[in-house]
Amino acid sequence: MKIFANHAHVFRRDQRADGTVSALLEVMDKTGIEKCVCFAPFYEWGLDYNPNLWMAEELKAHPELTGFGVVDIHGQDLAGQVRQIRELGLKGIKLHPAFQKFAIDGPEAFQVYAAAQEAGLFLSFHTGVHWHRIKDYQPLLFDEVAWHFPDLKFSMEHVGGYCFFNEALAVILNNRAEETGKCNVYAGLTSVFDNDRNRFWYLGQERVRTLLHMTSDELCLFGLDFPYNNAEKITEAINEILRLPIDEDAKQRILGGNLARVLGVDL
């Protein structure tokens, strides 16, 4: 299998030594991952630098890595921030409504979605319980995103987690056009097989099989959650996907083919 994984958080060494680009490359080598999407650090970490400029510079020497930027959601000129992300050659944006403390259907978020849709950027949203007012990040609100921005492609990482799996599934189903084959809402299979450290986002084999049965293997994207998951945890997740009762082509789509297609990247 050629693995192109989503969802690796990377940091400067002074922020997190086990989360640097070099550390990610080591984990990729240990786990047999050929390519990976990297998320820039959130502004909410109290950064004194532009994380998108840093990300673009950091990845210049690493064609195997694809960058996603972040927005200062409570800052100025949100559309301009999104345009800069696109101009830097980054392929998408990572958004975390609970951690960044914004409403999924709020006016600031809608400015970001409109600009991302125009720029052709992919959005990866954290979903699942994350210690903030649930009213702001209830997964059913993603149906409003899909409704108002019909050409915007995005993933629901963790597929709602243990608590909101059914709601996330409803959004994916509601926005899968059977007649046209248009699919803009994707399921991020990130930290969904670990019932210990990642129990809040645990889905397990049964729910993932339900997801595949109800939707399609063409809508699933494998993710790492690096550095929060180490090489051992990531290998376990890959093995869980490999033992799903689906054919080899479907496994290849989940482990990289779908992500390469949606981002326009060669696998």
Side-chain angles (χ1 to χ4, degrees):
M1 293 286 169
K2 291 184 177 181
I3 303 178
F4 179 21
N6 193 28
H7 207 129
H9 301 270
V10 294
F11 303 88
R12 289 197 329 193
R13 182 169 297 279
D14 60 320
Q15 286 182 282
R16 183 159 180 162
D18 67 341
T20 62
V21 167
S22 295
L24 172 62
L25 293 172
E26 290 180 11
V27 167
M28 290 170 62
D29 185 59
K30 290 178 181 177
T31 55
I33 295 170
E34 297 190 23
K35 294 186 176 184
C36 188
V37 166
C38 300
F39 298 154
F42 289 115
Y43 283 93
E44 286 73 14
W45 289 112
L47 307 181
D48 60 357
Y49 63 93
N50 184 314
N52 300 317
L53 294 175
W54 171 80
M55 167 71 76
E57 186 65 28
E58 191 78 2
L59 299 190
K60 280 183 179 179
H62 300 289
E64 69 273 36
L65 302 179
T66 298
F68 274 30
V70 293
V71 294
D72 182 4
I73 193 72
H74 302 294
Q76 302 296 315
D77 191 14
L78 292 169
Q81 291 186 48
V82 173
R83 286 194 298 272
Q84 183 188 57
I85 289 169
R86 184 69 184 92
E87 289 165 0
L88 288 170
L90 306 177
K91 292 284 189 176
I93 302 173
K94 168 64 175 177
L95 292 161
H96 197 320
F99 179 68
Q100 295 180 280
K101 294 181 171 53
F102 70 87
I104 290 169
D105 60 344
E108 296 86 0
F110 269 43
Q111 290 180 53
V112 173
Y113 307 153
Q117 178 175 252
E118 182 178 354
L121 294 174
F122 187 85
L123 304 183
S124 279
F125 289 95
H126 175 95
T127 68
V129 171
H130 208 98
W131 312 286
H132 177 61
R133 187 182 187 186
I134 289 175
K135 180 179 182 292
D136 283 345
Y137 66 94
Q138 218 287 348
L140 286 175
L141 293 172
F142 287 110
D143 189 61
E144 291 299 299
V145 180
W147 174 266
H148 287 283
F149 304 95
D151 294 321
L152 180 67
K153 292 181 170 61
F154 63 90
S155 67
M156 302 175 70
E157 296 297 296
H158 318 297
V159 204
Y162 184 87
C163 297
F164 291 119
F165 170 73
N166 288 338
E167 287 83 352
L169 178 59
V171 173
I172 295 168
L173 283 172
N174 198 45
N175 291 283
R176 183 186 177 208
E178 297 286 351
E179 302 83 4
T180 64
K182 181 180 179 181
C183 300
N184 287 348
V185 185
Y186 291 79
L189 298 184
T190 303
S191 294
V192 298
F193 293 110
D194 177 14
N195 197 19
D196 182 18
R197 186 183 182 282
N198 293 307
R199 61 191 181 280
F200 304 124
W201 303 297
Y202 175 73
L203 301 182
Q205 280 278 326
E206 183 176 353
R207 281 182 167 183
V208 172
R209 292 181 187 187
T210 296
L211 172 68
L212 292 170
H213 176 66
M214 292 288 186
T215 62
S216 166
D217 59 73
E218 295 185 354
L219 297 179
C220 294
L221 309 176
F222 171 64
L224 305 183
D225 227 349
F226 168 91
Y228 308 106
N229 288 327
N230 59 20
E232 180 182 359
K233 289 293 185 184
I234 290 167
T235 298
E236 290 173 1
I238 293 170
N239 289 336
E240 288 287 345
I241 290 172
L242 291 175
R243 74 183 189 90
L244 287 167
I246 54 179
D247 63 37
E248 296 302 294
D249 288 342
K251 293 173 185 177
Q252 179 65 84
R253 285 189 286 272
I254 294 170
L255 287 171
N258 295 332
L259 185 60
R261 184 188 73 249
V262 75
L263 297 182
V265 173
D266 292 332
L267 183 59

